Amino acid sequence: MSLKHILSLLDLNKSDMDRLFALAAEFKSRSQKGIIDHHLSGKVLGLIFDKPSTRTRISFEAAMMQLGGSTVFLNKNDLQLTRHEPIRDTARVISRYIHVLAIRTFSQKMLEEFALNASIPIINALTDSYHPCQILSDILTIIEHRQTYEHLNIVWLGDGNNVAHSWINASAILGFNLVLCCPQGFSPDTEILNNARQLGGRITESSEPYEAVKSADVIYTDVWVSMGQKEQESQKTLFQPYQINKQLLAHAPKDAMVMHCLPAHRGEEITDEVLEGNQSVVWDQAENKLHLHKALLVELLLNRNSI
Ligand code: CP
Ligand code: NVA
C-alpha cells in the first residue's frame, strides 16, 4: 500500500480496500484457528483520544498487542497540547517515539495538521467529519454475509453525520448504491456529497423511510446526537419516523441486514427488539473492527498485504 495516512476513505482506492478486506478476513480466520502472529513485534501504536470510545480504542489496542506490538494511550488532556504546544511540534516529536498514531478528535483540520507534520502514518479514529475505519470493518461484515458489496443497496437512516459521510465516500470508491434518508435539516454535508457524486458515487436521497428500505440489502443507522453535538429542540420527534423498528422492517426485504456502528440508544434510533433480532449483525460489526484494524496496521507499518 503506497498510502501514508488514513484521514478519510478518499485516501484509499478500490484495490487498497479490497486488499484490506482480504487481509482482515485472513487475520480473522487465523485468530479463529488459534494461530498467534507477531508481525508487529517492536512496533508501537499511539492513540490520542479526545472523545470517549469503547470499540475503536480497545480493538486498535488489542489488534496491536495480538500482533506482538505495544500501545501508548493518551487522553488529549494529558498532553502539552492543552498548554498550547503547537500540533506541528507535537506531531514531529511523537513521530520520533512511535510508529503509527490513531487520533479521535473533533476537528478534521486538526487531524490534517497532525498528518502534515508527522513522519508516521496517522489514522482517523473518528472526527466530527468522518469515521473511515468503521466503514471498512462494516463492509468486511457485509462481505461475510453477502459475499460482496457490489450492486448492493445500502440505506442510511437518521442523522447525516460523520459515519454517513464515510459511507458516502465508500460509495464513491466501491460503487454500491447508497440511499440517504435523513430528517429535514440533518442531511449530510453538501460538499462531501457533491464530491462523492462527481467521483461516480451512486447516491440518492429519500425522505420516506418506508419507501427507502423497500429494496435494501443493508439498513444502517447511528445515534441521533453524535458526540460533541447538542440535541436540538424536538429532535426526537423529528427523528422518530426514522427509527429502525419492526414496522419499518416489515417494508424491507426479509433478509435485509440491520447495521449500527454502536453505541446504540435502544428505543431511539433502533428498538431493542430489532437490535437483538435475527437481522441484526451489530455484534459481528463490533468484532470485525479488531480484524480490520490488524490488516490496516500491517499494511501501514509493513507495507505488505499478505501474511
Ligand atoms: N463504533 C465506534 O466507533 O464505537 P466507539 O465509540 O465505542 O469506539
Ligand atoms: N456518530 C457517532 C458515532 C459513534 C461511533 C458519534 O460521532 O458520536
Side-chain angles (χ1 to χ4, degrees), residues 53-56 104 131 134 261-262 289:
S53 170
T54 297
R55 283 145 287 270
T56 307
R104 170 169 286 201
H131 197 3
Q134 178 67 46
C261 55
L262 304 179
K289 288 171 77 80

Side-chain angles (χ1 to χ4, degrees), residues 243-255:
Q243 181 188 66
I244 309 188
N245 53 36
K246 206 169 78 179
Q247 292 72 28
L248 181 88
L249 280 193
H251 289 76
K254 284 198 170 22
D255 62 348

Side-chain angles (χ1 to χ4, degrees), residues 126 131 161-163 222-223 226-227 261-263:
L126 183 146
H131 197 3
N161 62 17
N162 45 6
V163 179
D222 185 12
V223 288
S226 285
M227 291 181 280
C261 55
L262 304 179

